[in-house]
Amino acid sequence: MQVEQLHALKDWFNQYVKCFYHDDPDVQAGIRLKEEHTRRVCEKILRIADSLNLGTGDLYLAETIALLHDIGRFKQFALYQTFNDRRSENHALLGIRELERSGTLNTLTEEERNLLVKAIEYHNLRTLPPDLPERLSLFSKLIRDADKLDILDMFTRSLSRTHEPGQEQISGLPDTPGYSEVLIRNLMEGELCHYDDMKNLNDRKLLMLSWVYDLNFPYSFSEVTRNGYIEKIVSCLPETGDIQKVYGHLRDYITRKLAR
């Protein structure tokens, strides 16, 4: 992929997003939330890719995937006033339809288009399909890690605020006491938690902790440690033996990953 193609796609992205700007401050806050998220994910994916010493063309492709991974969010919010896929539709597939409709990917090679579209399709799956081709697996993991790192950052920042734009659209969960035991079991068994098992905001926090098990690169684990995401989330959960066991288990897991 060439730098001129990346610049053209950035120009297209900027013009596309501006079509969803709105006079209603709540709507505009939602659009800006995802616009800013996209820019940060672009920065993060480049840092991860650079840590892997990828070539220049692959860096451009990785940044393009990050640029377009959430393109469906803007139409999703315009149509449904929510970022919750369960209350609307799968934003990854919606984004792919928007890209196909616009023809903006026509300047890419067939291989690049297929890789980009599949990486976008897979970025919000609970887990990746097994036995993916090597390059598709690489770029899918890159966008999943970059996306998760930024969402973890947004989420931990929101824990110290009384209101975070877009949070109620994303989760819609009540801030009630306690947590679901099934999520504790998932975490202790090294498994990702299920969205369907969440009953309250504490469950959302536990699910976010489980994302550690779906990170793929040393840079990602080092960022989790450097920013203290685990500690910040745990400090906002009930002070129980279960939570302390989960915390210890996650710290041991991250330590092992970094040691490799």
Side-chain angles (χ1 to χ4, degrees), residues 11-258:
D11 290 340
W12 177 85
F13 174 87
N14 292 333
Q15 292 303 314
Y16 179 84
V17 172
K18 285 179 182 177
C19 294
F20 295 94
Y21 283 3
H22 206 283
D23 293 335
D24 185 321
D26 290 333
V27 175
Q28 182 64 10
I31 298 302
R32 290 302 300 272
L33 181 78
K34 289 303 176 182
E35 185 177 17
E36 292 164 4
H37 164 68
T38 295
R39 300 195 191 286
R40 292 192 302 269
V41 173
C42 287
E43 295 171 359
K44 287 176 170 59
I45 204 169
L46 286 175
R47 293 189 190 119
I48 301 171
D50 191 57
S51 76
L52 301 173
N53 297 314
L54 297 189
T56 302
D58 283 348
L59 290 176
Y60 295 151
L61 185 56
E63 187 175 1
T64 300
I65 292 169
L67 179 73
L68 301 176
H69 82 285
D70 263 359
I71 199 70
R73 287 297 196 188
F74 303 101
K75 190 163 187 178
Q76 179 188 45
F77 198 65
L79 291 175
Y80 304 105
Q81 291 75 57
T82 183
F83 293 126
N84 189 319
D85 285 11
R86 287 161 182 76
R87 297 180 185 177
S88 53
E89 61 178 302
N90 185 321
H91 73 277
L93 299 182
L94 176 57
I96 291 168
R97 292 200 303 272
E98 286 294 280
L99 291 171
E100 290 174 345
R101 179 189 60 79
S102 71
T104 191
L105 303 181
N106 290 347
T107 63
L108 304 183
T109 67
E110 183 178 1
E111 179 188 8
E112 289 168 341
R113 285 198 305 273
N114 290 339
L115 194 153
L116 184 146
V117 166
K118 282 297 182 183
I120 292 174
E121 179 183 348
Y122 294 159
H123 90 271
N124 64 332
L125 294 181
R126 182 173 178 269
T127 57
L128 284 173
D131 303 321
L132 292 179
E134 184 177 354
R135 278 179 62 77
L136 177 55
S137 176
L138 170 64
F139 284 98
S140 297
K141 289 175 179 177
L142 282 170
I143 186 56
R144 286 168 70 87
D145 273 31
D147 195 30
K148 282 182 171 64
L149 286 176
D150 193 63
I151 296 172
L152 279 166
D153 193 64
M154 287 194 296
F155 185 76
T156 53
R157 290 177 187 275
S158 76
L159 295 176
S160 62
R161 301 172 185 167
T162 56
H163 177 71
E164 178 72 9
Q167 280 299 315
E168 61 275 9
Q169 290 95 341
I170 295 170
S171 66
L173 295 167
D175 190 4
T176 53
Y179 47 79
S180 299
E181 293 295 331
V182 63
L183 302 184
I184 298 293
R185 290 197 298 274
N186 291 150
L187 281 157
M188 292 303 296
E189 293 171 5
E191 299 174 352
L192 287 168
C193 296
H194 291 266
Y195 281 91
D196 291 343
D197 290 328
M198 295 191 306
K199 300 296 187 294
N200 63 13
L201 184 57
N202 283 335
D203 287 349
R204 173 71 176 182
K205 296 170 190 175
L206 292 172
L207 183 140
M208 297 295 283
L209 289 175
S210 79
W211 279 9
V212 167
Y213 298 131
D214 194 42
L215 296 177
N216 299 282
F217 304 105
Y219 178 90
S220 305
F221 288 104
S222 66
E223 281 295 283
V224 168
T225 299
R226 185 177 70 84
N227 290 289
Y229 294 143
I230 304 302
E231 290 75 13
K232 289 174 182 177
I233 296 173
V234 167
S235 70
C236 295
L237 283 163
E239 297 180 4
T240 67
D242 284 340
I243 299 300
Q244 288 307 307
K245 288 178 183 177
V246 163
Y247 174 63
H249 193 76
L250 288 170
R251 291 307 313 167
D252 289 344
Y253 178 82
I254 294 172
T255 299
R256 291 195 302 273
K257 286 292 186 178
L258 288 173

